[in-house]
Amino acid sequence: MNKTEQLKKIKYEVLDLKDSPLYIQRQKDKTFPVIGEGNHDADLMFVGEAPGKNEALTGRPFCGASGKVFDELLSIVGLKREDIYITNIVKDRPIANRDPLPAEIEAYGPFLDRQIDIIQPKIIAALGRFSAIYIMKKFGLESQIEGITKMHGKVFVAQVDYGQVKIVPLFHPAVVLYNPSSMDGLKADFLMLFEATRS
Ligand code: URA
């Protein structure tokens, strides 16, 4: 199976994930799981937390208010959605956008793991603390986990079977919606991330 076929297989498995703690709510709300989108050969992969309302209504990651912030940050470093791959840990929307629960992360994490194995990114930018913690643990970096205010913008390096992967925790773009002055810090982190894609 090629990459696109393997990613499609994940989509159908998630669509049919009746064991998920969020499956019944998805049926009730008539929403969609958000699998991920972008370039299947991307060197740079972004991992968010979980879909919000707009994302669950459309099945597309980061297409609501935080998506606008994300697109602005991408454009500042001259990147387009087609250049990167973007997904979330949790593929269905937690009710009222609450933080994902451990059982939800456990249910959907293996799909994210497979997406990483298929795409084989050289850099993973983890958006927000849940994503940063998941990715740091996955790559054996748990001893270096700190609060997101300490970890953001730092580059951590892990060895994987396809080579080396750089992990860059970032603030979640949604912080700008609550605190517009945080945009400057995010811009600086995105510029640093862009430099990391070129080294
Ligand atoms: N927040 C996320 O973490 N992911 C999305 O897709 C949208 C908002």
Side-chain angles (χ1 to χ4, degrees):
M1 269 197 283
N2 65 31
K3 287 186 176 189
T4 302
E5 288 163 346
Q6 291 178 69
L7 291 165
K8 221 176 237 173
K9 186 165 183 294
I10 291 178
K11 174 178 170 177
Y12 291 119
E13 287 178 39
V14 175
L15 274 166
D16 197 34
L17 196 67
K18 299 193 177 68
D19 287 348
S20 158
L22 295 170
Y23 183 83
I24 293 178
Q25 192 67 36
R26 183 212 294 167
Q27 299 296 101
K28 266 195 209 153
D29 294 345
K30 298 190 170 42
T31 56
F32 300 100
V34 177
I35 308 301
E37 66 181 28
N39 188 328
H40 297 172
D41 293 310
D43 284 342
L44 174 58
M45 181 169 182
F46 287 88
V47 179
E49 203 169 286
K53 188 174 179 190
N54 288 299
E55 287 78 16
L57 287 171
T58 58
R60 298 195 50 227
F62 285 89
C63 66
S66 34
K68 274 205 181 122
V69 177
F70 178 74
D71 285 338
E72 191 182 334
L73 289 162
L74 270 190
S75 76
I76 285 168
V77 296
L79 289 175
K80 298 197 178 74
R81 291 263 184 148
E82 307 90 90
D83 300 323
I84 56 124
Y85 191 84
I86 182 158
T87 184
N88 291 299
I89 316 175
V90 171
K91 311 299 192 197
D92 281 295
R93 181 182 183 228
I95 302 109
N97 296 346
R98 60 157 169 69
D99 288 345
L101 299 173
E104 293 160 359
I105 292 175
E106 202 178 308
Y108 293 96
F111 296 101
L112 172 62
D113 294 348
R114 281 166 57 194
Q115 287 172 304
I116 293 171
D117 287 345
I118 295 166
I119 293 167
Q120 304 198 338
K122 295 198 173 84
I123 304 189
I124 301 178
L127 299 171
R129 69 193 162 106
F130 286 96
S131 170
I133 291 170
Y134 184 88
I135 297 290
M136 295 284 283
K137 279 190 184 159
K138 170 177 166 59
F139 289 103
L141 299 166
E142 49 272 84
S143 65
Q144 296 180 63
I145 293 177
E146 292 181 280
I148 192 74
T149 36
K150 288 227 167 120
M151 284 195 294
H152 77 96
K154 288 188 186 164
V155 180
F156 299 86
V157 178
Q159 292 301 325
V160 283
D161 49 11
Y162 61 85
Q164 200 185 55
V165 63
K166 291 178 186 160
I167 312 294
V168 185
L170 298 174
F171 283 117
H172 194 286
V175 298
V176 175
L177 305 175
Y178 308 109
N179 178 10
S181 65
S182 57
M183 187 67 175
D184 287 345
L186 260 164
K187 278 183 193 166
D189 282 357
F190 264 66
L191 287 166
M192 189 284 306
L193 177 66
F194 183 62
E195 283 308 310
T197 65
R198 306 201 301 173
S199 60

